[in-house]
Amino acid sequence: MECHHTVKTLKINKDKNIGKVLILVEGEKSEFDLLEKIFTKVFDYTYKEFSKNNNIKKEYISKVNKNSKIIVANTDNSNIGSILDESYRDRLLPKLEEEYGDSLKNVRTYIIWDRDKNDSKITKKAINLFTDSLNNDYEMNGLLIISYPCLEIYELSNYKKGLWKINFKTSLKVKKEWSKYSHGKKLHLNSASLLLATLNMHKALLELGIFSYNIQGFKITNKKIFEKEEKQYKDNNYYKSLSLINIMLIDLGLIIES
């Protein structure tokens, strides 16, 4: 297993053919907007969105890399328990397999979620089940990617140096900070911003006492992060600013050591 250290020099790998990728999200707008920017504006991959009723919301066909295909789909609701619901999976997965023309066992899958809205026991169960994007022992592939406390932490981490030094009690406070920071500015994701977000992520991990991690077998680190964030919230009533979204980009080989 490749060991990633939380202090290192990184670069964006735009030439990587990542094949087929499925991303499941809880929100109906913010997550879609963010992932579209990453995969079409920074990397120029073919990209498709599915709504909760499995209809196509948006589609972009890359002229540069048609073999790299990203599908982003909504879960039933924002409760993390929806991804554990067999009836939901029975409705969603056949449609997506039809779209890919292949079993999802051959498709890297990521599940992006906010921490602060969800029950801690169910979140911990999901961490234990969704442990690998491709080689999951569970019936469905998937690596659970959590933002503490919410997605907007990732957006902030692309632009705000030293975000790892800041703590937030709730998603509302993060959203207010993001609104204040982005107000009146044209903010665009790019290679430099993704690398800043990775630096913020790694610095936050160091603050939590995590000095290295393995992408294959990320479950160990994911559990450790969750436990440390839970303790911090219990003791101090706030979360350390941390989004793990760039773990997905590292796993895909889109952010690599330089």
Side-chain angles (χ1 to χ4, degrees), residues 25-155:
V25 299
E26 59 172 306
E28 295 186 58
K29 185 175 186 335
S30 296
E31 287 89 342
F32 285 103
D33 290 346
L34 173 66
L35 293 169
E36 181 188 11
K37 288 176 185 175
I38 292 173
F39 289 111
T40 69
K41 304 301 182 184
V42 180
F43 292 101
D44 198 1
Y45 292 150
T46 292
Y47 174 90
K48 188 177 290 189
E49 295 178 357
F50 280 84
S51 63
K52 287 182 179 179
N53 57 8
N54 293 340
N55 291 326
I56 297 173
K57 291 173 58 176
K58 186 180 293 186
E59 185 172 13
Y60 169 80
I61 306 298
S62 172
K63 295 179 180 178
V64 176
N65 192 334
K66 294 181 180 179
N67 293 322
S68 294
K69 183 176 182 180
I70 315 296
I71 283 187
V72 183
N74 253 141
T75 55
D76 263 1
N77 56 63
S78 62
N79 186 322
I80 200 167
S82 65
I83 61 172
L84 305 175
D85 183 351
E86 290 184 12
S87 62
Y88 160 72
R89 294 198 304 275
D90 289 344
R91 294 194 306 276
L92 176 68
L93 299 187
K95 174 68 176 178
L96 296 177
E97 288 183 340
E98 178 185 331
E99 177 64 27
Y100 275 127
D102 197 358
S103 167
L104 291 179
K105 275 295 179 185
N106 301 313
V107 173
R108 288 194 179 275
T109 301
Y110 302 92
I111 302 157
I112 294 179
W113 228 267
D114 292 351
R115 166 62 196 100
D116 76 340
K117 299 176 184 175
N118 291 289
D119 179 86
S120 61
K121 290 182 179 179
I122 298 176
T123 302
K124 194 169 184 177
K125 182 178 180 181
I127 289 172
N128 285 322
L129 288 175
F130 297 106
T131 63
D132 192 285
S133 62
L134 193 58
N135 299 306
N136 197 346
D137 291 334
Y138 192 46
E139 64 183 78
M140 171 183 158
N141 285 344
L143 177 61
L144 183 63
I145 301 289
I146 303 177
S147 294
Y148 297 87
C150 63
L151 181 81
E152 283 76 12
I153 279 292
Y154 182 75
E155 294 180 305

Side-chain angles (χ1 to χ4, degrees), residues 224-237:
K224 190 180 295 185
I225 293 167
F226 176 75
E227 289 164 1
K228 288 177 177 288
E229 287 277 19
E230 291 298 285
K231 186 176 188 309
Q232 184 153 257
Y233 191 83
K234 181 180 179 182
D235 293 345
N236 304 302
N237 203 30

Side-chain angles (χ1 to χ4, degrees), residues 110-244:
Y110 302 92
I111 302 157
I112 294 179
W113 228 267
D114 292 351
R115 166 62 196 100
D116 76 340
K117 299 176 184 175
N118 291 289
D119 179 86
S120 61
K121 290 182 179 179
I122 298 176
T123 302
K124 194 169 184 177
K125 182 178 180 181
I127 289 172
N128 285 322
L129 288 175
F130 297 106
T131 63
D132 192 285
S133 62
L134 193 58
N135 299 306
N136 197 346
D137 291 334
Y138 192 46
E139 64 183 78
M140 171 183 158
N141 285 344
L143 177 61
L144 183 63
I145 301 289
I146 303 177
S147 294
Y148 297 87
C150 63
L151 181 81
E152 283 76 12
I153 279 292
Y154 182 75
E155 294 180 305
L156 270 172
S157 72
N158 273 265
Y159 304 104
K160 195 173 182 64
K161 293 180 179 179
L163 181 65
W164 56 275
K165 300 176 184 178
I166 305 172
N167 306 302
F168 289 95
K169 180 179 179 181
T170 64
S171 291
L172 181 60
K173 291 185 181 298
V174 179
K175 290 173 183 178
K176 285 183 177 179
E177 178 67 17
W178 172 237
S179 176
K180 180 176 66 176
Y181 188 80
S182 62
H183 180 68
K185 300 178 184 178
K186 292 183 178 179
L187 300 178
H188 304 285
L189 294 182
N190 53 43
S191 296
S193 76
L194 293 184
L195 291 177
L196 176 58
T198 311
L199 176 63
N200 273 316
M201 179 183 78
H202 280 163
K203 289 284 191 179
L205 290 176
L206 285 173
E207 286 285 295
L208 293 172
I210 297 168
F211 301 97
S212 64
Y213 56 88
N214 290 312
I215 290 292
Q216 291 79 30
F218 191 71
K219 170 184 173 179
I220 296 170
T221 302
N222 224 0
K223 286 176 68 176
K224 190 180 295 185
I225 293 167
F226 176 75
E227 289 164 1
K228 288 177 177 288
E229 287 277 19
E230 291 298 285
K231 186 176 188 309
Q232 184 153 257
Y233 191 83
K234 181 180 179 182
D235 293 345
N236 304 302
N237 203 30
Y238 59 69
Y239 292 106
K240 168 65 64 181
S241 298
L242 173 61
S243 173
L244 296 174

Side-chain angles (χ1 to χ4, degrees), residues 1-17:
M1 292 187 290
E2 183 181 0
C3 182
H4 293 267
H5 295 280
T6 47
V7 176
K8 59 184 176 182
T9 305
L10 300 168
K11 66 179 181 180
I12 300 297
N13 183 16
K14 288 191 176 183
D15 297 325
K16 180 70 184 291
N17 182 352

